[in-house]
Amino acid sequence: MADALPVCYLNGQFLPLAEARVSPLDRGFLFGDAVYEVIPVYGDRPLLLDAHLQRLDRSLRELGISNPLQIDAWQELVRDLIDRNGGGDVGIYLQVTRGADTGRDHRFPAGVTPGVFGMASPMPPPPGGIAAITLPDARWGRCDIKATALLANVLARQRAEDAGAQEAILVWDGVVTEGSSSSVLIVEGDDIVRRPNGEEILPGTTTDLIVDLARQAGLTCREEIISVERLRSADEIWITSAMRGIAAIVELDGKPVGSGNPGPVWRQVSAIYEDYKHGPD
């Protein structure tokens, strides 16, 4: 994300981001005991807002954290963050922690109130074609929970940056899981392939939308395991995320993917997605 915009939300109030403070005993700070969502906004319109809020609620349930807000209150909070930061094309970050305890204890504390934080950042321009590297997947076993404990993701993304790439595609036991901050799809011929959901990957709201749009356009989309060999031989490789949308990987581990340019299926689906995100639901 770009530098955050000036107004944030913290535990019941809107305030300047520079003045926001949390307790050092907050379990999100101490343990990464928290979940988050990122919601893209185009022309003041949140994209897939309900899907993101449903995923947030699922992540909270999986960690045994009570959802501190009803869905209408979340929707209002998102709209307020958009409006208070000038509207337009922004990304909304929402985070919920288990709350602040009276000391440091691995056990769940009783009677604490979940902490809620929200902020906005400008949306980056559409990425087009980018480079990626492959790395072993060193994350924990419940990547289907959108938790804030992202150290393995951070290290993978930094290794990509150090190698002159913009993303790391993670591989576990010879099988592609996902990117350090994205989902991964491949194209074989005219067919789009995504891997099935499971505990080892985050269910992708943006991926779901892109696959739906591709199917509406008459393209074939399959859910199959993607081996690293299959990744390397793919005609096209895509990554998807809330802030990046749909990006084409044009170089993998220093070698061109396909022609070394965004492929024809990506160009078709990307154009459909760009039209959709600026149009009515």
Side-chain angles (χ1 to χ4, degrees):
M1 283 187 176
D3 290 345
L5 294 167
V7 179
C8 75
Y9 174 92
L10 182 62
N11 296 332
Q13 63 177 329
F14 292 94
L15 71 163
L17 180 60
E19 297 177 10
R21 300 290 184 271
V22 297
S23 167
L25 293 179
D26 188 286
R27 290 178 62 89
F29 177 76
L30 289 176
F31 297 112
D33 190 358
V35 302
Y36 74 103
E37 277 293 331
V38 180
I39 301 157
V41 177
Y42 298 99
D44 300 345
R45 184 179 70 101
L47 188 65
L48 301 172
L49 176 57
D50 288 349
H52 282 285
L53 294 178
Q54 289 166 10
R55 190 171 64 180
L56 177 67
D57 185 69
R58 178 187 180 277
S59 294
L60 289 167
R61 283 188 280 106
E62 290 296 315
L63 293 188
I65 300 174
S66 297
N67 194 328
L69 298 176
Q70 298 295 321
I71 189 168
D72 57 344
W74 280 117
Q75 292 168 342
E76 182 178 358
L77 170 55
V78 169
R79 294 190 184 97
D80 281 344
L81 282 170
I82 296 167
D83 293 342
R84 289 169 185 263
N85 285 287
D89 295 353
V90 297
I92 300 297
Y93 177 89
L94 302 175
Q95 177 175 300
V96 181
T97 78
R98 195 177 301 277
D101 201 355
T102 56
R104 185 181 183 276
D105 191 331
H106 284 68
R107 297 172 299 175
F108 291 176
V112 299
T113 301
V116 180
F117 172 68
M119 66 178 179
S121 300
M123 286 292 293
I130 64 174
I133 61 172
T134 54
L135 289 175
D137 192 342
R139 302 171 302 162
W140 75 316
R142 289 301 308 275
C143 296
D144 58 312
I145 301 171
K146 200 169 177 68
T148 61
L150 294 172
L151 183 56
N153 304 67
V154 168
L155 292 174
R157 180 65 179 274
Q158 188 58 49
R159 285 187 62 182
E161 292 291 330
D162 291 344
Q166 293 77 52
E167 181 58 300
I169 294 178
L170 305 177
V171 178
W172 177 264
D173 197 21
V175 172
V176 173
T177 49
E178 55 193 338
S180 68
S181 59
S182 63
S183 302
V184 178
L185 302 90
I186 63 172
V187 176
E188 298 173 326
D190 292 330
D191 295 349
I192 302 167
V193 182
R194 66 181 294 186
R195 64 159 298 149
N197 286 333
E199 292 185 351
E200 65 280 358
I201 69 168
L202 182 73
T205 55
T206 303
T207 304
D208 288 345
L209 171 61
I210 286 169
V211 166
D212 286 345
L213 294 174
R215 284 177 171 151
Q216 292 172 28
L219 294 168
T220 299
C221 304
R222 305 193 306 271
E223 291 190 5
E224 297 173 358
I225 295 299
I226 302 171
S227 68
V228 68
E229 292 81 13
R230 195 173 180 184
L231 176 76
R232 297 190 191 284
S233 64
D235 297 304
E236 302 180 27
I237 303 172
W238 306 350
I239 59 168
T240 63
S241 69
M243 294 297 281
R244 284 175 164 174
I246 171 174
I249 303 297
V250 298
E251 178 185 295
L252 182 67
D253 292 330
K255 297 180 180 179
V257 175
S259 67
N261 296 296
V265 183
W266 179 86
R267 292 197 299 270
Q268 179 184 358
V269 176
S270 180
I272 295 169
Y273 175 71
E274 289 297 315
D275 287 342
Y276 179 90
K277 73 184 190 183
H278 291 292
D281 283 327

